[in-house]
Every structure is written in structure tokens, then in C-alpha cells.
């Protein structure tokens, strides 16, 4: 129809359509032959992955059923490593008693199988305690003794209370006499934190944290201050080995050394209780290994580390209303509940926000009049990270009404300017990458999993042009039918209108041939578009 509208002869576009229908199917078939090996290879990869998962689960189930030790094969030896195409036939030959139970689910590579990681990532679920502390589970010894621990990126040592600790009653305490893998070391250990301290001895034992960490060294504490009323039993340090007392290797580096994870990297996602439904216990997730894309939006933005002791990096500019500070030295600390700033920086922030101060230097608003507060803007590597008042203001509902507090405190923090604690990590998914010496941040997903926007499909000229001929014989038949219809149309006689006398004088109502009649046209869309960033 396009050629006919342009005034081309009918025979010309009839021949064109005929060639299109008859020749292009062969070109399309050639393209399919070239692409077939790639599709076949991709299918083999998927089949191999599914078969491997099936075989692993079948092996675990068979060993547990027959009471075999790890590494021993069952007497029946019905587990055969067959190609995926023959697995269905092999399953039919097996008895029902040897089949895996129906309620066993195949797990993704990001999860663990039978307590051991698969080398990609090891997730550790966390619990949220009123947005102030986040806990996870860790087991020590053989048989395992389970403890509730805090994961702290502001220190490097791991410790749990000993059964000899008299100030640790009401908490789970480690009993070395009940562990067959316990190895005494005896070195004295004293740890001091911003609030509290702990003393004890170094001990070697097996630790289970997503996977089995053999010969792990930790602190067996005989005296721990301020344990009364706390929700945790011990602590796992996630900073670097350079600040570990006693030359102890941090657990997350031991996991990498023993092959539980393939990268010396971990990431942290923390929930906000306002986003949790009643009864929901998903307080957070600590992921050793590759970051979990279901827990963050957009892309991870990385900045280099300043040195390998704390997770320290530069903030180019900090802005809050009229207050601006450049060259801010910050550390990321999961063991700190709030933001912590130096005294001068904290007082400048209080002056901008106009809040009231208590004797303990707690900034608060009696009636929660926080709607007109400015945003906190952190510039990292040229990229803005925005914290709104709902992110840095904490609300406490009381009998006489609600009171809002600033999620920041003042402290003597040496050469640092600010400590980014849980208030920051709730807003931004944080990645700690020691292998590449960098820190990563992305907007946290409020309620996982995040739905990442799919990229727009690219226009494929080859598939567009040859797609009409992909039908093969169908294309030939359609082309022949179109050709027959066109031939019938050519044979029909045409009626031509009588010639018009061009010398006739035009009527007054007709437009002059020298005047161009302009028709309204639709506005042409401009080719430029602006993309709005979530962080801008």
C-alpha cells in the first residue's frame, strides 16, 4: 500500500512482495541455524544447574535416611550422575522409598545447603529491637551452643560470655567442657567500647555462622559490664584485622579463607519498624559474599576506603539547611544505633534544626513539629545521598503525646567527623568490600524484595526485518495468495475520469493557485528528555 500511495506501478510492488515472501524464509532459516548453538548451550547450562541441585539434595536425603556418614555412598548406589535428559528415566527405575521427600524445595544459589554456603553468598537473618539494636544467631562448639550476637563493623574481635561469668546471668553462656572441638589458648583479652567493657581469655573452637568455620578464635569472657537488661549475648567484629586485639583473624575473613564465600565482602540491610507488619520478624539481613539485589534499589555507588582499619571514607560535603561542612571523615558502624558527630558539628546542626537540648545533649521536639525541617545531604564521590526528616528523626509515642528526637548524638570521636550508624544504614543498603578496598551504598528496599525496573528492550533490526519470513513455508503461501489477489486486481478494467478543461476560469470561491493553504499540524516532540534521579 505504501508503494501504491507513492504512485508506483502495481506490478512493481507486486513483484517486491513476491520476492519478500519467497526469498526471506531461507535467510531466516540461516539465521536460526547460526543462533541455535547459543540457545542449545544456554539450555544445557540450565539443565546442568537443575540436575546438580537435584543430585545434591538426593544425596543428602539418602545419607540421612541410611544413617551414613558424610562422604560414604549408600549401598544401593542408586544415585547416578546422569545427563539431565536421562534423569527422568532413571527416576522411574528407583523405588519410592529412595525418592526425596515431596516437601523438599530447591534453594537458590544465594542460600545455604545443609548449613554450608555454596561460595556465592551466605545470608544471616537479623531481628529488630525497637530500631536500636539488630541481632543475629551464631553457634559455637560441637554440639553447637547458640548465641544471640550483635554484628559490629566498629570492632574486629568476636566474643561470647563464659559459663564462669557471674555478671552474665540470664544470658546464654559458653561452656567449653561440653564441646568436643574446644582448644584452650589462654591469652588474656580485654576489650573496651564506647559504652562498656569485657575481659576474658582467647579460645579456639568451631563456629557456625551460615557455614562451618573451623579453628575460629574468639573471646571467652569472664566479666562483661552492663549486661543486665541487654538483649544480646555476645558480639561479632566485622572490621579489619589491623585493629583486632591478640592478632585474631576476624570471622568474615576466615569465611573467605576457608572457601565459604568467594569474595571478601559483606553487606547490611536494616529494616525500620514503621515498615514492618505486626508479627513480622524480618529485622534485617547480613549477607556475606555477593550483595543481594532484592534488598536495594537502583545501583550500588562505591567510594574508596581511606585505610584498612575501620570502614572509613570521605564525605565530600555535608549540608543541612544553611550549614555546610566539606571534607568530612566518616566511618560506617553497625554497632552504633544513631549518628554520632563531633561536638562542634553537632552544635551547628542543633542550631539549624532549632530543637531543644537536654542535660545529656539529646535534641528533641516536644510536639513533633518536624515537617519543615531541612534534608541532610551527603555528597559521596560527587553523588548526593539524601536523608529526609523522617529518616533522621525518631518518634517516641508516650501517654501524654508524641515526642520526636534527633537521631544523632555528640561524642569525642578523635579525628573523625561523623559516625554513620544504624540511622544511616536503614536508609542506605551498605556494602563493605575489602577485596577492592571500597564502600558501597544504595537506597534500601523498605519492604523486600525490590522490583528493579527492567531496561527498555533494544530495537533489533535483524529480527524486525527477517521476522516476517520466519514462518518458512507459511511465508511462501501468504506471498502466493497476495500475488494472486494482485494479479486479479490488475486484470480488472479501470475507469478513468473525463479530462477537465484547464483553461476554464476558476470560481471566486476556489483558492488562488498562488496561495498556499496551511493545515494545522501536531506539535513535534522534542528529542530531549530529563531523567530524575532518586537520590538527587
Amino acid at each position: 500500500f505504501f508503494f501504491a500511495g507513492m504512485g508506483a506501478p502495481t506490478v512493481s510492488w507486486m513483484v517486491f512482495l513476491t520476492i519478500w515472501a519467497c526469498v526471506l524464509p531461507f535467510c531466516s532459516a540461516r539465521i536460526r541455524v547460526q543462533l541455535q548453538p547459543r540457545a542449545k548451550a544456554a539450555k544445557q547450562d540450565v539443565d546442568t544447574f537443575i540436575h546438580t541441585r537435584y543430585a545434591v539434595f538426593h544425596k543428602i536425603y539418602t545419607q540421612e535416611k541410611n544413617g551414613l556418614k558424610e562422604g560414604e555412598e549408600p549401598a544401593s548406589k542408586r544415585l547416578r550422575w546422569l545427563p539431565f535428559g536421562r534423569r527422568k528415566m532413571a527416576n522411574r527405575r528407583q523405588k519410592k522409598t529412595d525418592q526425596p521427600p515431596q516437601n523438599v524445595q530447591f534453594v537458590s544459589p544465594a542460600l545455604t545447603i545443609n548449613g554450608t554456603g555454596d561460595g556465592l553468598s551466605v545470608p544471616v537473618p537479623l531481628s529488630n529491637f525497637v530500631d536500636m539494636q539488630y541481632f543475629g544467631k551464631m553457634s559455637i562448639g560441637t554440639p553447637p551452643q547458640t548465641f544471640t550476637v550483635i554484628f559490629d563493623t566498629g570492632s574486629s574481635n568476636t566474643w561470647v560470655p563464659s559459663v564462669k561469668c557471674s555478671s552474665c546471668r540470664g544470658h546464654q553462656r559458653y561452656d567449653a567442657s561440653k564441646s568436643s572441638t574446644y582448644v584452650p589458648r589462654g591469652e588474656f583479652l580485654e576489650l573496651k567500647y564506647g559504652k562498656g567493657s569485657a575481659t576474658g581469655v582467647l579460645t579456639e573452637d568451631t563456629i557456625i555462622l551460615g557455614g562451618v568455620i573451623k579453628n575460629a578464635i574468639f573471646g571467652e569472657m569472664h566479666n562483661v559490664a552492663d549486661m543486665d537488661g541487654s538483649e544480646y549475648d555476645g558480639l561479632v567484629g566485622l572490621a579489619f584485622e589491623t585493629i583486632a586485639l591478640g592478632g585474631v583473624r576476624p570471622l568474615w575473613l576466615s569465611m573467605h579463607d576457608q572457601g565459604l564465600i568467594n569474595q571478601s565482602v559483606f553487606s547490611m540491610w536494616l529494616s525500620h519498624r514503621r515498615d514492618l507488619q505486626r508479627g513480622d520478624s524480618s529485622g534485617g539481613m547480613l549477607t556475606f559474599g555477593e550483595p543481594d539485589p532484592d534488598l536495594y534499589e537502583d545501583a550500588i555507588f562505591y567510594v574508596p576506603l581511606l585505610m584498612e582499619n575501620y570502614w572509613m571514607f570521605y564525605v565530600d560535603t555535608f549540608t543541612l539547611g544553611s550549614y555546610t561542612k566539606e571534607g568530612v571523615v566518616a566511618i560506617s558502624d553497625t554497632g552504633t544505633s544513631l549518628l554520632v558527630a563531633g561536638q562542634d558539628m553537632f552544635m551547628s546542626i542543633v542550631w539549624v534544626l532549632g530543637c531543644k537540648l537536654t542535660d545529656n545533649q539529646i535534641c528533641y521536639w516536644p510536639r513533633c513539629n518536624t515537617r519543615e525541617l531541612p534534608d541532610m545531604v551527603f555528597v559521596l564521590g560527587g553523588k548526593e545521598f539524601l536523608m529526609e526528616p523522617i529518616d533522621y528523626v525518631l518518634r517516641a509515642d508516650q501517654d501524654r503525646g508524641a515526642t520526636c528526637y534527633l537521631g544523632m548524638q555528640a561524642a569525642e570521636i578523635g579525628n573523625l567527623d561523623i559516625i554513620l550508624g544504624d540511622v544511616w544504614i536503614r536508609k542506605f543498603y551498605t556494602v563493605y568490600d575489602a577485596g577492592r578496598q571500597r564502600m558501597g551504598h544504595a537506597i534500601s528496599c523498605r519492604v523486600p524484595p525490590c522490583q528493579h525496573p527492567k531496561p527498555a528492550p533494544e530495537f533489533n533490526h535483524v529480527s524486525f526485518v527477517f521476522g516476517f519470513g520466519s514462518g518458512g513455508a507459511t511465508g511462501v503461501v501468504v506471498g502466493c495468495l497476495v500475488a494472486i489477489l494482485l494479479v486479479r486486481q490488475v486484470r480488472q478494467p479501470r475507469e478513468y475520469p473525463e479530462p477537465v478543461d484547464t483553461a476554464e476560469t476558476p470560481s471566486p470561491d476556489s483558492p488562488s493557485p498562488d496561495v498556499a493553504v496551511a493545515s494545522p499540524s501536531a506539535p513535534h516532540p522534542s528529542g530531549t528528555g530529563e531523567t530524575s534521579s532518586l537520590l538527587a
Side-chain angles (χ1 to χ4, degrees), residues 83-99:
F84 181 70
R86 296 171 56 193
R87 194 187 72 189
K88 188 173 182 181
M89 183 181 299
N91 291 342
R92 292 177 178 176
R93 296 175 182 175
Q94 295 177 353
K95 298 179 181 180
K96 288 186 177 181
T97 56
D98 289 332
Q99 294 294 331

Side-chain angles (χ1 to χ4, degrees), residues 20 24 27-28 31-32 34-35 458-470:
W20 177 284
L24 291 186
C27 299
S28 177
I31 292 177
R32 288 199 303 271
Q34 294 177 355
L35 297 181
E458 299 180 358
F459 187 80
N460 193 331
H461 298 277
V462 177
S463 62
F464 175 77
V465 174
F466 294 100
F468 292 97
S470 61

Side-chain angles (χ1 to χ4, degrees), residues 218-229:
F218 61 96
E220 182 184 352
M221 295 308 181
H222 298 162
N223 185 17
V224 181
D226 298 332
M227 282 289 288
D228 295 336

